[in-house]
Amino acid sequence: MDLDILNTLKLTKVATSKIDTFDFENVKFGDKFTDHMLVCEYKNGSWGTLEIKPYAPITLDPSARVFHYGQAIFEGMKTYKEENDDIWMFRPDQNFERFNKSAIRLAMPAIDETRFIGGLKELIKVEKDWVRKGLGNSLYIRPFMIATESGVIASPSNEFLFCILLSPAKSYYAGKIKVQIADYYSRAANGGIGAAKAAGNYSAQFYPTKLAQEAGFNQVIWTDSNHTHLEEAGTMNVFFRINDTLFTAPTSDRILDGVTRKSLIELGESLGYDIKIEPVKVETILEAAKNGSLKEIFGAGTAAVVNQIEGFAYKDNYYQLPEMADEDSYALQLKNALTKLQNKLADDPFNWTVKI
Ligand SMILES: Cc1ncc(COP(=O)(O)O)c(C=O)c1O
């Protein structure tokens, strides 16, 4: 960490916190934000002073590149409070590295660890009362970077804004979801930006997801360019359990390298699960669903941690997965183990949790 950068951080606090008016019992994910945000501008080839200031709208020129060419990336991570009031982040190094990989792919400047992780720690310290204790409570962290230079010229911006927002989150049992396997639309292409957490990947998903929802499904399982392999579930990585083996696709330039995915793989292996990282064919899953060996499908991502899937549609057929007792579900065993570790209610032999 470069202490000069942190020592010159400019802090402007709100006159009155809105925390007393916030309903921590009825939290809608990503809906409301804490009192402050962190900002930092990139100009003339370098990042400037870190600033923590009251959460407020950003003013940009209408011709700013982000509005026209979508030069925008983001991250999603969480922070937790232990019973003794210590606050912990989960694998922030992974989000920091992925943010810079996304930046490079979108022709944006990388940011240093002091501004990203050091700045985030300072912001969380200011907002420590917004992090609530207890399993299921967390503060969702949304770092993002946008192209701010004006001019409707289709070339990379020379000016950028880095910003971090914080939003209280509560994990609910969202219930199992029904998904539709994509056989026409794609979220990512070979050599495209699917592996980056780029804003455009999400807007590209909205329309096919809306069609799936109109047909009675919650999400789309994205496939590769030929629609022969299963790659992601909505905005989550995806796991398939055939008999007692868990399968998940290897990451590629079409798949986001999820922190939850890689953590579940390591955690599962440490629990003795048989996990295979290999391309998963649509036809393999159809066959397994028909012969009864397909036991579970679940998505994995920061927001929901694990989201169980109860059945899927492929073309005109619907395949329902078998009922299973909660204690037999790999999805729930893994979710339980990971959330306990994140909330410091279980040991962390991997050293994934980082104290603030
Ligand atoms: C497309 C996509 N895949 C997978 C994930 C899961 O990544 P992570 O576990 O790092 O949240 C996300 C983000 O939540 C995502 O947006």
Side-chain angles (χ1 to χ4, degrees), residues 247-272:
F247 293 86
T248 191
T251 53
S252 70
D253 56 9
R254 296 180 306 273
I255 298 179
L256 192 80
D257 185 5
V259 182
T260 316
R261 170 189 173 280
K262 69 174 77 166
S263 305
L264 293 182
I265 292 171
E266 271 195 70
L267 198 56
E269 283 171 347
S270 78
L271 294 171

Side-chain angles (χ1 to χ4, degrees), residues 178-188 199-223 227 232-235 313:
K178 289 190 171 120
V179 295
Q180 192 179 48
I181 295 179
D183 63 357
Y184 177 75
Y185 291 103
S186 297
R187 77 170 281 280
N201 284 332
Y202 298 82
S203 47
Q205 291 186 203
F206 291 161
Y207 178 66
T209 305
K210 178 174 157 258
L211 295 182
Q213 286 169 350
E214 283 167 2
F217 301 94
N218 305 86
Q219 279 297 350
V220 175
I221 294 207
W222 303 105
T223 44
H227 306 295
E232 300 220 57
T235 57

Side-chain angles (χ1 to χ4, degrees), residues 269-287:
E269 283 171 347
S270 78
L271 294 171
Y273 292 10
D274 180 25
I275 303 183
K276 290 204 163 46
I277 300 166
E278 56 185 59
V280 183
K281 282 188 182 160
V282 176
E283 65 185 42
T284 306
I285 296 305
L286 293 180
E287 189 51 40

Side-chain angles (χ1 to χ4, degrees), residues 264-331:
L264 293 182
I265 292 171
E266 271 195 70
L267 198 56
E269 283 171 347
S270 78
L271 294 171
Y273 292 10
D274 180 25
I275 303 183
K276 290 204 163 46
I277 300 166
E278 56 185 59
V280 183
K281 282 188 182 160
V282 176
E283 65 185 42
T284 306
I285 296 305
L286 293 180
E287 189 51 40
K290 285 180 200 152
N291 69 25
S293 58
L294 182 66
K295 305 289 184 211
E296 295 184 83
I297 309 178
F298 57 93
T302 296
V305 184
V306 164
N307 209 328
Q308 291 176 285
I309 291 170
E310 66 174 30
F312 65 89
Y314 180 63
K315 297 195 188 283
D316 290 332
N317 294 316
Y318 180 72
Y319 301 82
Q320 180 76 28
L321 269 65
E323 288 288 326
M324 175 177 286
D326 284 358
E327 61 269 26
D328 296 330
S329 157
Y330 284 5

Side-chain angles (χ1 to χ4, degrees), residues 23-147:
D23 181 359
F24 281 91
E25 290 314 307
N26 298 298
V27 178
K28 198 171 153 220
F29 183 81
D31 193 33
K32 298 246 165 28
F33 298 88
T34 64
D35 291 322
H36 303 89
M37 60 188 193
L38 177 110
V39 293
C40 188
E41 286 181 8
Y42 181 92
K43 271 193 183 144
N44 304 318
S46 59
W47 287 104
T49 310
L50 282 175
E51 196 179 346
I52 293 176
K53 60 183 192 181
Y55 184 96
I58 297 167
T59 305
L60 289 180
D61 192 285
S63 72
R65 309 279 166 102
V66 63
F67 298 135
H68 304 272
Y69 308 113
Q71 214 183 358
I73 58 166
F74 67 98
E75 265 306 320
M77 51 210 286
K78 281 178 176 171
T79 190
Y80 308 85
K81 190 178 266 181
E82 198 179 348
E83 251 344 275
N84 65 3
D85 285 342
D86 284 347
I87 298 180
W88 298 85
M89 293 193 286
F90 182 70
R91 308 189 79 175
D93 56 315
Q94 298 292 319
N95 297 89
F96 166 63
E97 278 173 27
R98 192 170 68 187
F99 192 72
N100 279 340
K101 278 189 193 151
S102 300
I104 289 163
R105 182 61 185 83
L106 275 281
M108 300 168 101
I111 193 160
D112 52 281
E113 190 179 354
T114 305
R115 286 185 175 82
F116 189 101
I117 296 183
L120 171 59
K121 281 185 178 171
E122 294 308 311
L123 179 65
I124 294 171
K125 280 185 206 161
V126 172
E127 303 290 50
K128 62 181 185 326
D129 293 342
W130 290 86
V131 201
R132 293 291 154 130
K133 296 176 199 176
L135 194 63
N137 288 326
S138 64
L139 194 58
Y140 181 76
I141 303 165
R142 170 53 61 94
F144 66 98
M145 194 203 310
I146 53 172

